[in-house]
């Protein structure tokens, strides 16, 4: 026998034995892993590779559709725009399916996109809006486990009763009604158990895929969306932070008797659980509820404008998620006065003083149709040569209306259609603008769109009262800034007098509008010809 033959006769059995051992070990590991996963009842949707694969496949399908759909269609024709609308609709439907499948952070980002009515094509916003009512629901066993882990007690030890059916379900948490042992009724907000673990990985997935899309379509520059998610998601997942935000805004706006912020129960709150007083009411966009409970829609719209104008222009501490589910209206049980209940304080924007003051000055210029100042302060806020587009995006008005004066020209249906159409036509420019402006501006734009959506539903959009409230807050904010810089008592007195004079003029103008619009004046105007 040759040396090679001897070696093979020795080596082959050894290799065969090792292969047998390796295959046996692999089989054992695979079997035990399968048994472990079976016993853990692992949801394959929790696996990062599944979530990434699903997101990558959706991105590929949407990108391929946009790359190939317009090859045989001439740009700018009616056929082109009709086809583009269909492609937008298909893409939006794919995104909706992805958000519903991956849940958590994906739903949160989808909700954010759905709120940008005047920034994105209507096909996207209309489709993604349903995510506000299609959030995932955790099982009762999962809720009990989170409470057990965070509070160290069983439900029966903490509450007399705890309703299993949630009052509401959101992308990050769900809310249950419960009764404490002292008889008080509370709302218990419990975080979905998997969200915390998945959120950081999901954001990385989004970043990778958005960079790939930007490489394919240079005009598509939505990296601001990832930047915002990176910054805001950890804050929204910390319910201790949310509780502190609620207390801060309650103290800040305590002079508004119509505003109610539920009190936090800190002994029953953690990073994943927030317990607060239970507040009943109808959603702010529910006109039937308001009619049934004799709630004046104009009063609600005006009060909503007052509190948000003060948050933005005076304090620079802004509740940035005023979708209808977070804003309730009701008649106070004690005095029967109308109240607004503000919920979900996880997402706030803190405006830097210089930014806030420039934003004040820009809105004053827009209200007064001072176009030189509109250009100046738009540029200072990062819009550059895109300042006309910025003014239109900010006000959701056409450039013609901005030039004529947004406080004096009413919104028409044709103008609204024009704005929505332009969101499709100028998507690359809007995308560039959103990447240019300071990060603080992005949540303000979302807030603006959500508030406009409420006003549109209540049919109070662009009411004179909203501009008057904004002007009043701008005057106060700028006067406060000037007083802080004044070197003498005389100068501070001058500023105070000028502020008082401006506010007095505004009050007279408001009185004039009220008299002009009152029923008695209409009756007198109608009777004058007969009296004559």
């Amino acid at each position: 026998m040759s040396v090679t033959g001897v070696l093979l006769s020795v080596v082959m059995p050894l290799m065969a034995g090792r292969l047998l051992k390796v295959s046996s070990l692999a089989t054992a590991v695979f079997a035990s892993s399968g048994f472990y996963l079976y016993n853990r009842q692992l949801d394959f949707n929790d696996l990062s590779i599944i979530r990434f694969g699903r997101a990558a496949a959706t991105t590929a399908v949407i990108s391929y559709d946009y790359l190939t759909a317009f090859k045989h269609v001439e740009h700018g024709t009616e056929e082109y725009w009709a086809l583009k609308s269909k492609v937008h609709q298909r893409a939006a439907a794919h995104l909706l399916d992805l958000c519903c499948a991956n849940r958590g952070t994906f739903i949160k980002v989808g909700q954010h996109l759905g709120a940008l009515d005047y920034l994105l094509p209507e096909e996207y916003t209309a489709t993604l809006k349903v995510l506000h009512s299609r959030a995932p629901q955790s099982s009762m066993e999962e809720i009990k486990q989170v409470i057990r882990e965070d509070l160290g007690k069983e439900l029966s030890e903490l509450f007399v009763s705890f309703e299993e059916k949630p009052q509401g379900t959101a992308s990050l948490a769900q809310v249950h009604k419960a009764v404490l042992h002292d008889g008080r009724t509370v709302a218990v907000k419990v975080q979905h158990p998997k969200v915390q673990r998945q959120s950081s990985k999901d954001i990385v997935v989004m970043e990778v895929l958005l960079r790939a899309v930007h490489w394919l379509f240079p005009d598509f520059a939505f990296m601001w969306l990832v930047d915002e998610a990176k910054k805001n998601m950890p804050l929204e997942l910390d319910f201790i932070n949310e509780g502190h935000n609620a207390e801060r805004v309650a103290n800040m706006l305590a002079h508004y008797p119509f505003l109610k912020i539920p009190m936090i129960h800190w002994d029953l709150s953690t990073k994943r659980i927030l317990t607060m007083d239970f507040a009943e009411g109808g959603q702010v966009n529910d006109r039937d509820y308001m009619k049934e409970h004799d709630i004046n829609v104009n009063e609600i719209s005006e009060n909503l404008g007052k509190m948000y104008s003060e948050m933005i222009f005076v304090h620079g501490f802004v509740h940035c998620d005023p979708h209808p589910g977070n804003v309730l209206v009701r008649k106070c049980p004690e005095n029967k006065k109308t109240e607004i209940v503000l919920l979900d304080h996880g997402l706030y924007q803190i405006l830097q003083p210089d930014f806030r003051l420039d934003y004040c000055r820009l809105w004053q210029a827009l209200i007064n149709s001072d176009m030189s100042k509109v250009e100046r302060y738009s540029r200072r806020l990062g819009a550059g040569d895109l300042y006309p587009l910025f003014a239109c995006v900010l006000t959701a008005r056409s450039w013609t209306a901005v030039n004529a004066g947004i406080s004096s020209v009413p919104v028409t249906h044709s103008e609204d259609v024009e704005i929505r159409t332009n969101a499709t036509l100028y998507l690359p420019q809007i995308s560039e603008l959103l990447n240019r402006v300071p990060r603080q501006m992005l949540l303000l734009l979302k807030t603006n769109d959500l508030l406009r959506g409420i006003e549109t539903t209540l049919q109070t959009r662009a009411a004179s009262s909203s501009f008057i409230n904004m002007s009043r807050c701008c005057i106060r904010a700028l006067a406060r800034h000037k007083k802080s810089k004044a070197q003498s008592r005389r100068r501070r007195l001058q500023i105070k007098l000028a502020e008082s004079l401006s506010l007095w003029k505004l009050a007279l103008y408001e009185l004039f509008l009220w008299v002009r619009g009152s029923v008695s004046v209409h009756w007198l105007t109608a009777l004058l010809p007969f009296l004559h």
Side-chain angles (χ1 to χ4, degrees), residues 216-434:
L216 277 172
F217 305 96
D219 286 340
F220 184 93
F222 270 58
M223 290 313 297
W224 57 270
L225 195 60
V226 173
D227 294 339
E228 285 300 291
K230 278 182 181 176
K231 184 183 78 175
N232 294 317
M233 194 57 66
L235 295 174
E236 289 193 77
L237 289 170
D238 182 359
F239 290 174
I240 296 294
N241 173 66
E242 179 177 342
H244 288 313
N245 285 344
E247 291 189 335
R248 179 174 172 181
V249 80
N251 292 328
M252 192 175 84
L253 302 180
H255 54 285
Y256 287 135
F258 60 79
L259 176 62
K260 296 298 170 188
I261 310 287
M263 189 185 80
I264 307 299
H265 294 259
W266 287 111
D267 58 323
L268 294 172
S269 297
T270 67
K271 278 197 167 191
R272 295 193 297 169
I273 300 168
L274 189 65
T275 305
M276 67 205 91
D277 285 347
F278 184 80
E280 290 188 284
Q283 290 193 2
V284 71
N285 63 343
D286 190 342
R287 287 179 63 89
D288 292 336
Y289 175 90
M290 294 193 203
K291 188 175 182 180
E292 183 184 337
H293 291 82
D294 194 28
I295 294 173
N296 187 324
V297 293
N298 292 309
E299 183 185 351
I300 291 296
S301 184
E302 184 175 348
N303 287 341
L304 204 57
K306 279 181 185 176
M307 61 192 240
Y308 267 91
S309 292
E310 180 144 343
M311 277 192 248
I312 293 168
F313 300 115
V314 179
H315 300 285
F317 185 67
V318 190
H319 178 279
C320 287
D321 205 9
H323 74 76
N326 290 339
V327 186
L328 306 182
V329 294
R330 67 179 189 182
K331 285 282 188 180
C332 176
E334 288 81 26
N335 57 26
K336 301 301 178 187
K337 289 187 177 179
T338 303
E339 292 180 339
I340 294 174
V341 183
L342 195 60
L343 305 173
D344 198 344
H345 300 272
L347 188 59
Y348 271 75
Q349 181 66 280
I350 299 173
L351 307 181
Q352 296 303 313
D354 288 346
F355 172 91
R356 177 172 56 83
L357 292 167
D358 282 341
Y359 194 62
C360 270
R361 294 177 183 118
L362 173 58
W363 268 105
Q364 276 197 314
L366 286 165
I367 291 167
N368 298 326
S369 61
D370 186 335
M371 300 315 295
S372 63
K373 286 185 177 178
V374 167
E375 179 179 355
R376 184 197 310 169
Y377 293 113
S378 294
R379 288 183 181 277
R380 282 178 63 163
L381 288 168
D385 293 336
L386 293 173
Y387 73 88
L389 177 63
F390 183 53
C392 294
V393 161
L394 201 58
T395 58
R397 304 295 303 270
S398 67
W399 183 238
T400 304
V402 170
N403 275 277
I406 56 171
S407 59
S408 55
V409 179
V411 181
T412 62
H413 176 68
S414 59
E415 185 189 2
D416 226 16
V417 171
E418 179 187 344
I419 290 290
R420 291 180 182 277
T421 304
N422 286 343
T424 300
L425 291 175
Y426 297 108
L427 186 58
Q429 291 88 342
I430 290 173
S431 180
E432 182 187 347
L433 177 67
L434 294 177

Side-chain angles (χ1 to χ4, degrees), residues 58-78:
T58 301
T59 304
V61 168
I62 292 173
S63 300
Y64 181 78
D65 201 2
Y66 275 103
L67 281 170
T68 59
F70 308 101
K71 280 186 176 179
H72 307 294
V73 181
E74 187 181 345
H75 184 276
T77 61
E78 283 188 24

Side-chain angles (χ1 to χ4, degrees), residues 164-262:
E164 293 198 5
K165 184 181 178 183
Q167 294 285 310
T169 303
S171 55
L172 306 182
Q174 60 194 54
V175 178
H176 292 262
K177 186 177 181 180
V179 178
L180 300 176
H181 286 285
D182 62 8
R184 287 178 294 174
T185 305
V186 293
V188 186
K189 182 176 180 179
V190 185
Q191 196 172 111
H192 298 309
K194 300 166 188 174
V195 171
Q196 192 89 241
R197 186 175 67 252
Q198 292 170 344
S199 64
S200 56
K201 296 172 187 173
D202 286 346
I203 291 169
V204 171
V205 168
M206 289 178 197
E207 184 170 16
V208 169
L209 295 176
L210 280 174
R211 287 192 187 281
V213 171
H214 181 51
W215 178 75
L216 277 172
F217 305 96
D219 286 340
F220 184 93
F222 270 58
M223 290 313 297
W224 57 270
L225 195 60
V226 173
D227 294 339
E228 285 300 291
K230 278 182 181 176
K231 184 183 78 175
N232 294 317
M233 194 57 66
L235 295 174
E236 289 193 77
L237 289 170
D238 182 359
F239 290 174
I240 296 294
N241 173 66
E242 179 177 342
H244 288 313
N245 285 344
E247 291 189 335
R248 179 174 172 181
V249 80
N251 292 328
M252 192 175 84
L253 302 180
H255 54 285
Y256 287 135
F258 60 79
L259 176 62
K260 296 298 170 188
I261 310 287

